[in-house]
Amino acid sequence: MNPNTPQEIRRIPSVDRLLAGLDADIEAHGRHLVTACVRAELAAVRSAARDGLPVPDNAKLLAAIRRRAEESAAPRLRPVFNLSGTVLHTNLGRAQLAELAIERMAQAARAPCALEYDLADGGRGDRDDLIAPLLVELLGADLSHADDLAATVVNNNAAAVLLALNALAQGKEAVVSRGELVEIGGAFRIPDVMRRAQVRLVEVGTTNRTHARDYAEAIGPKTALLMKVHTSNYAVSGFVKSVADVEVAALARAHGLPFLVDLGSGTLADFAALGLPSEPTPQQALAAGADLVTFSGDKLLGGPQAGLIVGRKALIAKIKKNPLKRALRVGKTTLAALEATLQLYRDPDRLCARLPTLRLLTRQEADISAAAARLQPLLQAALGPAVSVSVQTCASQIGSGALPVERLPSAALVLRCERFAGKRGGHALRALEAAFRALPTPVIGRLHDDAYHLDLRTLEAQDESLFIAQLSHFAPSVS
Ligand SMILES: *Cc1c(COP(=O)(O)O)cnc(C)c1O
């Protein structure tokens, strides 16, 4: 290629001339953004022109600038289709909120709200009071000590554990079974959290077996609490033993120590009654004698990201006085969504219909298979003969560490191809996966067994039309 002559390079229009043709874009995205896009596009064109590439005409330049501006103005936090087979996918935002929670969040965001304001007497209020009575009502229903329960809310369950440990055991020891020193994705590890909370971890038992006497022998003058951690994201099987909550609770009581249970997920619903694999609830932990339980808002509870701490009034009071509480507290939109989510639990009959997490987890295989049968021919037609689309039964995971071994029967569209977008073999499959990720609403599936799987458990009927509409984007890249 010949380098362009200086005259040709001088044909490149000025920033101002281009801006004059971009009134609508300036109106939509603002002058700053559009000007930056003009400069970026011109820099790219100049550099290409120096290498001998032709200078595009004005219409092409304006179109390229428009594309840059639109891309740049679009949100980075984009909605996606989670068809990965993991219902509560941490990297894809975990729980989808109930409509009521979404409405209340918007309301809290839009107008001033009584976040820390007592409307009865006009004095200062406590943001925890928006949620605590509701939590105590839901968790304490069958407990004899319900009137000794209180609650507080922080940013996530990791924060709840950090805060509880620091408030109750700073400079002292906490006793935990070796079998429960969990690591959750994203670098939450019990030993590290202990260190950060300035608590000395006393490990008892072995990886596979811990006995009540192990806890008993570890208790000394520096012991501040006994702790159990729900091994939420793994299962040890075979020659195993752990100590039941009631036994640890009895030991703690005998020594006058608080007993803290970190549940991780902690659903409030009766999973067995819903036909789901059973999962320990905070109600059960409290009934078994836990003095404090911590659990996430956005795992099985199906609410916003939050960490909930429920337990004895005196312990909650101590936790709330800790300066870390101020650093870890949640904002008004989170509280609005959490309150709405918890209110839904008052009506168990309609809970599954209204709470997306439970609606998705309890979706029947027949319903999912019917959706797969509906979508298979449409996807096959959109992708053409190079890709084979079949329907297969599959097994969804609950995700976010909950019930790591259990699977829910589901149905998937399974895509196989030898060639796609000019690529072959494994490269073809990865190109196919990338093409789904590049759709206007990106589709996240799973590569597995030389095929690309789209688990349809999490594609609800109301979203099918959007999924189908964007299949037209495949037409040009197929073969
Ligand atoms: C998920 C989990 C956490 C961390 O909760 P986040 O809400 O993600 O901060 C802590 N402990 C256990 C046992 C968990 O499963």
Side-chain angles (χ1 to χ4, degrees):
M1 228 178 288
N2 297 321
N4 278 312
T5 62
Q7 287 95 318
E8 273 163 358
I9 290 177
R10 254 180 258 122
R11 276 200 326 115
I12 298 173
S14 70
V15 172
D16 286 340
R17 226 182 94 211
L18 286 169
L19 278 176
L22 291 163
D23 280 347
D25 306 83
I26 291 169
E27 180 72 24
H29 306 302
R31 182 169 294 276
H32 267 98
L33 174 60
V34 177
T35 309
C37 293
V38 169
R39 294 218 163 94
E41 184 60 27
L42 286 180
V45 166
R46 255 183 233 113
S47 146
R50 270 184 229 109
D51 293 341
L53 291 170
V55 173
D57 63 26
N58 262 19
K60 280 213 179 94
L61 273 174
L62 290 174
I65 291 162
R66 210 157 274 145
R67 262 197 312 278
R68 277 180 190 266
E70 267 155 27
E71 244 168 55
S72 176
R76 287 291 153 89
L77 185 56
R78 285 170 63 194
V80 301
F81 283 106
N82 168 21
L83 307 187
S84 66
T86 300
V87 177
L88 291 169
H89 197 303
T90 296
N91 305 132
L92 302 178
R94 290 194 185 161
Q96 294 166 238
L97 295 185
E99 282 308 318
L100 182 67
I102 296 165
E103 281 164 28
R104 298 271 188 83
M105 271 181 110
Q107 213 168 56
R110 196 172 290 123
C113 57
L115 178 62
E116 290 186 345
Y117 189 86
D118 188 333
L119 289 171
D121 68 10
R124 192 193 156 101
D126 176 344
R127 65 180 69 198
D128 278 340
D129 289 347
L130 301 168
I131 302 292
L134 190 48
L135 263 174
V136 170
E137 171 196 317
L138 292 168
L139 269 61
D142 300 320
L143 296 178
S144 55
H145 67 293
D147 57 356
D148 186 31
L149 288 184
T152 183
V153 182
V154 287
N155 180 56
N156 54 20
N157 187 43
V161 174
L162 175 75
L163 175 62
L165 285 172
N166 183 259
L168 305 179
Q170 185 177 22
K172 296 178 142 187
E173 297 175 352
V175 181
V176 186
S177 161
R178 282 205 169 83
E180 298 175 358
L181 299 178
V182 306
E183 172 178 317
I184 315 291
F188 174 92
R189 304 167 115 192
I190 291 292
D192 297 345
V193 173
M194 288 268 177
R195 225 177 346 264
R196 290 292 166 158
Q198 297 178 334
V199 175
R200 201 171 88 76
L201 167 65
V202 177
E203 303 172 25
V204 298
T206 61
T207 306
N208 55 330
R209 290 175 72 84
T210 299
H211 305 268
R213 64 169 186 274
D214 295 325
Y215 287 94
E217 284 162 10
I219 297 173
K222 290 203 151 173
T223 309
L225 58 85
L226 305 187
M227 180 181 188
K228 283 201 65 168
V229 184
H230 180 44
T231 56
S232 52
N233 58 359
Y234 66 98
V236 181
S237 62
F239 189 52
V240 296
K241 166 150 177 40
S242 62
V243 184
D245 286 359
V246 271
E247 283 185 76
V248 180
L251 253 174
R253 210 173 315 115
H255 289 85
L257 296 169
F259 173 34
L260 165 65
V261 174
D262 173 24
L263 280 174
S265 258
T267 174
L268 303 192
D270 180 350
F271 265 36
L274 297 174
L276 292 168
S278 78
E279 168 79 10
T281 65
Q283 297 95 306
Q284 287 165 350
L286 291 168
D291 297 300
L292 277 179
V293 292
T294 62
F295 54 102
S296 291
D298 59 346
K299 291 184 181 172
L300 293 175
L301 187 72
Q305 181 188 303
L308 289 74
I309 313 178
V310 184
R312 301 270 181 192
K313 278 184 175 162
L315 299 176
I316 295 289
K318 202 164 174 194
I319 286 171
K320 289 179 65 159
K321 276 202 216 97
N322 187 288
L324 275 178
K325 165 64 166 89
R326 175 63 176 75
L328 301 173
R329 73 182 187 184
V330 291
K332 59 187 177 181
T333 50
T334 297
L335 287 166
L338 187 57
E339 182 188 36
T341 304
L342 291 171
Q343 282 176 339
L344 295 180
Y345 279 87
R346 282 175 162 163
D347 182 3
D349 296 343
R350 284 189 291 170
L351 185 61
C352 281
R354 295 155 116 197
L355 196 71
T357 298
L358 289 184
R359 192 167 69 227
L360 293 171
L361 291 177
T362 55
R363 203 174 160 198
Q364 295 300 303
E365 186 189 346
D367 180 35
I368 307 168
S369 294
R374 269 196 306 279
L375 290 170
Q376 185 275 338
L378 301 172
L379 190 57
Q380 183 65 78
L383 291 168
V387 180
S388 93
V389 181
S390 62
V391 175
Q392 274 181 23
T393 57
C394 69
S396 316
Q397 272 184 283
I398 293 174
S400 272
L403 300 158
V405 186
E406 311 284 351
R407 294 285 187 278
L408 307 172
S410 183
L413 294 171
V414 178
L415 283 60
R416 292 188 167 83
C417 58
E418 279 310 308
R419 244 155 53 83
F420 185 80
K423 304 263 178 17
R424 291 185 171 278
H427 295 294
L429 208 53
R430 276 193 292 279
L432 182 67
E433 190 242 342
F436 274 88
R437 265 192 285 113
L439 289 169
T441 301
V443 173
I444 315 296
R446 192 166 69 99
L447 288 174
H448 169 66
D449 248 1
D450 292 328
Y452 182 57
H453 296 244
L454 302 172
D455 183 340
L456 297 182
R457 170 175 297 278
T458 41
L459 182 64
E460 293 199 275
Q462 71 266 20
D463 302 320
E464 266 181 36
S465 54
L466 174 60
F467 180 81
I468 293 163
Q470 61 172 5
L471 294 181
S472 59
H473 285 262
F474 281 120
S477 66
V478 167
S479 93

